[in-house]
Each structure stands twice: as C-alpha cells, then as structure tokens.
Amino acid sequence: MRRLKKIGIVLAVLYVLVTLSAYYFQEHLIFFPQKMPLNHTYDFCQNFEEFNLTAKDGAQLKAVHIKRDSARGVVLYFHGNSGNISHLNHVANLLDRKGYDAILVDYRTYGKSTGELSEQGMKEDAQLFYDYALTQYNEEALILYGRSFGTGIASGLAADNRPKKLVLESPFYSAVSLGKHRFPILPVSWLSQFRFPSNEYLLKVNCPIYIFHGTEDRVIPYEFAEKLYAEIPDSAEKHFYRIEGAGHNYLQDFDVFKKGMIEVFE
C-alpha cells in the first residue's frame, strides 16, 4: 500500500510538471515558424512587391503583394502554423491563373516578420493587412483565404468585416478543441492562451463560406470540418467540399479541390 502511495505521488508530480511545461511552452507546441534573412529575395513568377506594416507594439510585419495588370479582385491569404510565405508559390500560381491579385502574409516571428506571438496581436495584425488591402481595393472585391491554422485568423477577420467570400482549407473547429484532441490528458481549456474559436466566428460571418477538407487528414481530423460546417446557420450561403483520400496537405492535387476553386473564383 505504501509503495502504491509513493507511485501515486510520483505520477501526480509528473503530471503537474508536464501540465506546467505545456502551459509555459505552449507556443512551441503550436507554432513552427521558419525565419528568413531580411535580404532574402522571393522567387514568385508573378510581378510582386514586398511591403511592411508596423503593429502598435512595434512588430514589423512583412508580406508580399502580387499584382497583375487587370485583376478581378484580391485574395488576402493566411498560411498554416509552419514555414513562411516563401513556400507559397503554388498559391500565387493558382490565384494568378484565376485572375486575382494576392497578399501573402507572414505572422509575427515568421519569415521576415518580428514581434511576440499572442492571439490578440495576431488578430490585430490581420486587421492591419485587411485595412491595407482596402486602401487599394473595394471590399466587395476582397476574398479571405485561410489554410490550416490560418483558417482561425481568416474566420475571425471575416466576422469583423464584410469580405466578398471566405475560403477555409483544412480548418479546425477551435484551437481549444484541437488541443484537446492532441493532448487528451491535459486540461487544455484551462491551459490554452490561443483559443481561436472559429465555430463562434462563423456565426457572425456575412459572406459565402467555402470549406475544403481531406477525409484522411491526420493533423486536423475531417470530423472537425464537418462539425464546423454543420454549425454555420442554414440561412448562410455555405459550401462543403469533401476530398476523399486527401490528407492535410496537397489538396490542390485532387479534382474535387480543383472544381471547388472554379466555383470560388468564378
């Protein structure tokens, strides 16, 4: 009995240590930024310019604005939780073929951007880029596009503004629900400093919503997208594209995705 008690104490102490570590180092469990030197030159095929916005806390936010001579509109694009915009040539090529300009954003600490990560900071940064887009385009020509982690950013931004459309590729239901899925033994609801409640955001969105998700996604389960879609009011214009056999990445290789893109950018 005494031995069992000692084992119980050891396990309890280990659980507390793991929980505290998860709390203090959660940023490193969620975000995997890849930095780029400031003198790096991007290799997009299209005409583009790099630009910089300054957040109110002084963070320097870097982005690329891809422009064509006669664009049908602009897509403000938010990528996933790893890499940076140097990996988005395929996105630039897709949007160029559809006749759209693109603004590709690197979050604070990603690519050439600086600053400290926080949910509020990232939301305010997204609004800065939205406002930048509005200096050059009408809002009814602006499409928001988020992939993976970026779907939380794009959903919140769409809830606070009135873009033409919202596109969500491999979305999560909420950051907390995803955390519970990945770390079921931890009290994620209490620990999480990054919540991004996409399910709540989409209740406030007043534009058509397009959701794409692979059935074999092992990063963000397909069921999360189904649940997210189901909670969007039936009165809203919403579209769901089930991509059979697709994982978390390379959805662009599947016919369902290609046909969906035609509908989004028609």
Side-chain angles (χ1 to χ4, degrees):
M1 182 64 71
R2 184 176 299 175
R3 185 180 178 185
L4 289 175
K5 185 176 182 180
K6 288 182 179 179
I7 292 174
I9 292 173
V10 170
L11 292 175
V13 170
L14 286 175
Y15 181 79
V16 170
L17 289 175
V18 169
T19 300
L20 290 174
S21 296
Y23 177 77
Y24 287 109
F25 297 103
Q26 62 185 273
E27 178 181 310
H28 302 288
L29 296 173
I30 301 172
F31 302 104
F32 305 97
Q34 181 180 336
K35 297 294 292 182
M36 297 294 286
L38 291 177
N39 63 354
H40 173 78
T41 301
Y42 296 107
D43 60 354
F44 296 105
C45 299
Q46 300 78 19
N47 292 324
F48 70 92
E49 62 181 27
E50 293 184 49
F51 68 97
N52 173 81
L53 297 179
T54 301
K56 67 180 183 181
D57 65 354
Q60 298 300 302
L61 310 171
K62 308 292 183 176
V64 165
H65 191 168
I66 295 174
K67 299 181 179 180
R68 43 187 297 125
D69 292 335
S70 55
R72 299 173 60 194
V74 64
V75 177
L76 180 54
Y77 186 93
F78 297 95
H79 61 68
N81 69 335
S82 63
N84 57 54
I85 57 179
S86 69
H87 302 157
L88 300 180
N89 293 70
H90 66 289
V91 175
N93 294 339
L94 168 66
L95 299 179
D96 183 58
R97 289 195 302 270
K98 300 301 182 184
Y100 282 78
D101 288 351
I103 298 173
L104 310 177
V105 174
D106 260 337
Y107 312 120
R108 40 181 68 210
T109 77
Y110 284 72
K112 301 180 183 182
S113 296
T114 66
E116 296 183 3
L117 285 169
S118 71
E119 181 167 0
Q120 185 60 33
M122 297 176 85
K123 290 177 65 175
E124 292 176 358
D125 297 347
Q127 187 63 53
L128 275 179
F129 283 109
Y130 195 93
D131 294 341
Y132 164 85
L134 293 184
T135 65
Q136 303 187 42
Y137 305 88
N138 293 325
E139 192 168 24
E140 56 268 23
L142 196 162
I143 296 176
L144 289 177
Y145 194 131
R147 196 191 95 78
S148 190
F149 167 75
T151 61
I153 298 286
S155 296
L157 198 55
D160 292 336
N161 298 276
R162 298 187 68 88
K164 180 180 181 181
K165 296 178 180 179
L166 172 64
V167 183
L168 304 177
E169 180 182 338
S170 304
F172 53 81
Y173 182 78
S174 71
V176 171
S177 65
L178 184 58
K180 289 179 179 179
H181 170 76
R182 291 183 179 176
F183 308 103
I185 68 169
L186 296 178
V188 173
S189 294
W190 174 73
L191 292 175
S192 183
Q193 298 178 47
F194 298 92
R195 312 192 75 82
F196 291 103
S198 295
N199 59 309
E200 297 178 12
Y201 294 149
L202 294 190
L203 298 177
K204 305 173 185 177
V205 171
N206 292 300
C207 69
I209 302 170
Y210 299 79
I211 295 178
F212 297 80
H213 212 106
T215 59
E216 302 303 316
D217 194 325
R218 298 291 181 258
V219 178
I220 302 176
Y222 172 78
E223 292 73 21
F224 280 35
E226 280 192 319
K227 184 178 180 182
L228 188 66
Y229 178 79
E231 293 193 11
I232 301 172
D234 291 334
S235 58
E237 182 182 343
K238 57 181 184 177
H239 308 266
F240 190 90
Y241 300 86
R242 172 190 170 98
I243 306 180
E244 196 69 41
H248 189 66
N249 301 314
Y250 307 113
L251 270 61
Q252 67 270 16
D253 294 338
F254 290 79
D255 287 340
V256 172
F257 182 87
K258 294 174 183 177
K259 292 176 181 177
M261 287 292 105
I262 293 174
E263 295 178 17
V264 169
F265 295 110
E266 62 183 359

